[in-house]
Amino acid sequence: MSEPAPTLPPEILARRDRAKAWFEDLQARICAELERLEDEAPPELYPDAPGRFEMRPWTRETGVGGGTGGHLKGRLFEKAGVHTSAATARFSPEMAAQMPGADKDPSYVSASISLIVHPVSPRVPTVHMNTRFLSTAESWFGGGADLTPMLDEQRSQDADDAKLFHAAMKAACDPFDPEWHPRYKAWCDEYFFLPHRGEPRGIGGIFYDRHNTGDFETDFAFTRAVGEAFLDVYPKIVRHRMSEPWTDADRAEQLVRRGRYVEFNLLYDRGTMFGLKAGGNIETILSSMPPLVAWP
């Protein structure tokens, strides 16, 4: 078992604790909003009782830390996970070689929020969002949000949901630097691409990593803006779509599209690989997997 690493300066620990507290507050607000949507779902399409989050604390097996996994199985959301975590630990030699500032000292601290929502309705897009703070001898933020419509008719960049989602991410970026949105949108398009399929996972959003302008307060404010943008825009999309009826053919198309989601997360997703290698909680890491999926 790795021992916690007390070598990082107190100001770094204080920054991590601030990020942790904010991520936990955002988790609570997102869970509350998803439960409100469960309550609002029309009973003629969603006849079961509204779902509620089950909060499951966990503790790291290496280093110090842990988190809380928020798990929901509802009538509107077939599966939703909203999770927070934090750590004070040491990277393995393999991971330290890949992390800025960890070549001489593998000590690190981290805090994060990560979520996935798989709706029942094929008309309501799947969504993913995560933001995180990580510090070795260097510190940075990373994360982003992306939308995955399940039906081909909704997967155009000109579709209503895509335009609304991209506008929200742009509004989060532009007050800080108007160059960030085109840069992080392009990064998202490149990252969430399935090379073996030759197609994108969804309609994109933004993706950023090792974001460090040299001003912690600005970078922290930007990461908060991304979280707030998600909390504002996704419920709007759900409310717009959740009353639309769907067909068996729509459901079959949804299950096949979910297969693409599985392929990306198991083959290419950095967060999945990082979490498993860094001693994270397997239940929360793999909660991104859809509850039902099909390959034709």
Side-chain angles (χ1 to χ4, degrees), residues 230-265:
F230 168 83
L231 182 55
D232 176 67
V233 71
Y234 186 63
K236 290 179 180 177
I237 292 172
V238 174
R239 288 186 171 96
H240 174 64
R241 293 288 184 186
M242 68 181 181
S243 296
E244 298 177 352
W246 63 88
T247 66
D248 290 343
D250 292 336
R251 177 64 169 173
E253 185 178 344
Q254 177 196 44
L255 297 184
V256 171
R257 179 55 53 185
R258 284 177 173 180
R260 306 293 202 268
Y261 213 92
V262 171
E263 291 170 15
F264 179 86
N265 280 26

Side-chain angles (χ1 to χ4, degrees), residues 29-54 71-82 116-121 124 234-236 238-239 242-243 246 258 291:
R29 290 188 288 137
I30 290 172
C31 289
E33 183 62 17
L34 294 180
E35 288 182 352
R36 275 191 287 272
L37 290 166
E38 280 280 316
D39 292 338
E40 295 172 19
E44 62 273 19
L45 291 176
Y46 310 94
D48 295 334
R52 290 294 179 263
F53 274 92
E54 178 185 353
H71 302 266
L72 181 146
K73 292 183 179 180
R75 60 177 184 171
L76 174 61
F77 301 118
E78 194 166 5
K79 182 179 183 181
V82 186
I116 180 69
V117 180
H118 291 293
V120 170
S121 169
V124 182
Y234 186 63
K236 290 179 180 177
V238 174
R239 288 186 171 96
M242 68 181 181
S243 296
W246 63 88
R258 284 177 173 180

Side-chain angles (χ1 to χ4, degrees), residues 11-235:
E11 59 267 27
I12 294 299
L13 297 175
R15 289 176 176 180
R16 189 280 306 276
D17 290 347
R18 286 178 59 196
K20 175 179 180 291
W22 195 83
F23 293 149
E24 290 172 350
D25 175 73
L26 181 63
Q27 178 191 38
R29 290 188 288 137
I30 290 172
C31 289
E33 183 62 17
L34 294 180
E35 288 182 352
R36 275 191 287 272
L37 290 166
E38 280 280 316
D39 292 338
E40 295 172 19
E44 62 273 19
L45 291 176
Y46 310 94
D48 295 334
R52 290 294 179 263
F53 274 92
E54 178 185 353
M55 309 309 289
R56 305 174 192 166
W58 60 274
T59 302
R60 288 178 58 87
E61 294 182 1
T62 60
V64 170
T68 301
H71 302 266
L72 181 146
K73 292 183 179 180
R75 60 177 184 171
L76 174 61
F77 301 118
E78 194 166 5
K79 182 179 183 181
V82 186
H83 313 307
T84 55
S85 67
T88 301
R90 300 172 71 90
F91 286 124
S92 67
E94 175 191 4
M95 294 191 68
Q98 304 172 29
M99 293 292 171
D103 53 338
K104 296 180 180 179
D105 184 350
S107 307
Y108 76 93
V109 295
S110 66
S112 68
I113 180 171
S114 180
L115 69 85
I116 180 69
V117 180
H118 291 293
V120 170
S121 169
R123 311 291 304 177
V124 182
T126 286
V127 75
H128 160 260
M129 190 275 286
N130 79 86
T131 53
R132 58 192 174 275
F133 172 73
L134 195 148
S135 184
T136 58
E138 301 179 28
S139 301
W140 64 89
F141 285 91
D146 67 288
L147 193 72
T148 304
M150 295 288 108
L151 304 181
D152 284 344
E153 67 188 71
Q154 298 175 346
R155 294 173 62 79
S156 165
Q157 294 289 323
D158 293 326
D160 290 346
D161 296 343
K163 289 192 288 188
L164 189 63
F165 195 78
H166 287 307
M169 295 300 114
K170 186 176 187 298
C173 295
D174 282 356
F176 299 93
D177 189 324
E179 294 184 359
W180 287 1
H181 182 255
R183 181 190 311 160
Y184 293 153
K185 180 179 182 298
W187 197 348
C188 185
D189 291 340
E190 177 184 0
Y191 179 63
F192 290 109
F193 188 81
L194 291 157
H196 66 284
R197 295 280 187 183
E199 63 185 44
R201 184 170 86 173
I203 57 87
I206 61 171
F207 177 84
Y208 60 101
D209 199 9
R210 299 180 184 177
H211 177 93
N212 179 10
T213 65
D215 184 336
F216 170 82
E217 296 300 336
T218 295
D219 296 341
F220 187 25
F222 167 59
T223 288
R224 296 197 304 270
V226 172
E228 297 289 358
F230 168 83
L231 182 55
D232 176 67
V233 71
Y234 186 63

